[in-house]
Amino acid sequence: MENVWGELKKIEAEALQITSDAQDKAKQIVAVSKQEAQKLVEDSKANAEAEAQRLYAQAVAKANVQREEQLRANQVEIKKLKVVAEQGMDQAVDFIVKAVLEAN
């Protein structure tokens, strides 16, 4: 009977050691998991910031291209308006000259 009690005590001690080892291992796993999760969060923030910068630069470049295109279109329109205005000026000068000559 003492032999059985001795064996049971050994088994109980081993079970306690296994439980303690499992708890220690679980704590280590939790700590590593927290560190890895924190690193993932930091990496995600860095990636998000990089993506935001990329999108911002892309938007600025697109806006610059559109601005340049609009500027060129405006310059073409300005040239057309100058031609029309010069034609109108020639007609106005002719009208004034005729009006002055007819008045004399």
Side-chain angles (χ1 to χ4, degrees):
M1 189 71 160
E2 285 183 31
N3 231 0
V4 172
W5 279 110
E7 284 298 314
L8 285 174
K9 291 233 181 229
K10 275 186 188 176
I11 292 171
E12 185 181 3
E14 287 177 17
L16 287 173
Q17 185 61 44
I18 290 171
T19 302
S20 177
D21 290 346
Q23 288 174 345
D24 290 343
K25 187 66 174 175
K27 287 178 184 176
Q28 290 173 355
I29 291 171
V30 168
V32 169
S33 296
K34 283 182 181 179
Q35 290 174 347
E36 289 176 357
Q38 184 62 34
K39 183 170 181 349
L40 286 173
V41 168
E42 291 169 3
D43 289 348
S44 294
K45 285 180 182 178
N47 290 339
E49 179 65 28
E51 180 69 7
Q53 289 297 327
R54 186 187 68 76
L55 290 173
Y56 173 75
Q58 188 178 31
V60 168
K62 183 178 179 181
N64 284 334
V65 167
Q66 289 174 340
R67 183 179 54 85
E68 289 297 323
E69 289 172 356
Q70 187 63 51
L71 181 60
R72 283 193 291 278
N74 289 348
Q75 289 172 341
V76 168
E77 190 62 28
I78 287 169
K79 287 179 183 177
K80 288 179 185 177
L81 290 173
K82 281 184 179 180
V83 168
V84 170
E86 287 173 1
Q87 290 172 350
M89 184 62 78
D90 291 341
Q91 291 173 355
V93 168
D94 288 344
F95 179 75
I96 292 171
V97 169
K98 283 182 187 176
V100 169
L101 290 178
E102 289 177 3
N104 287 331

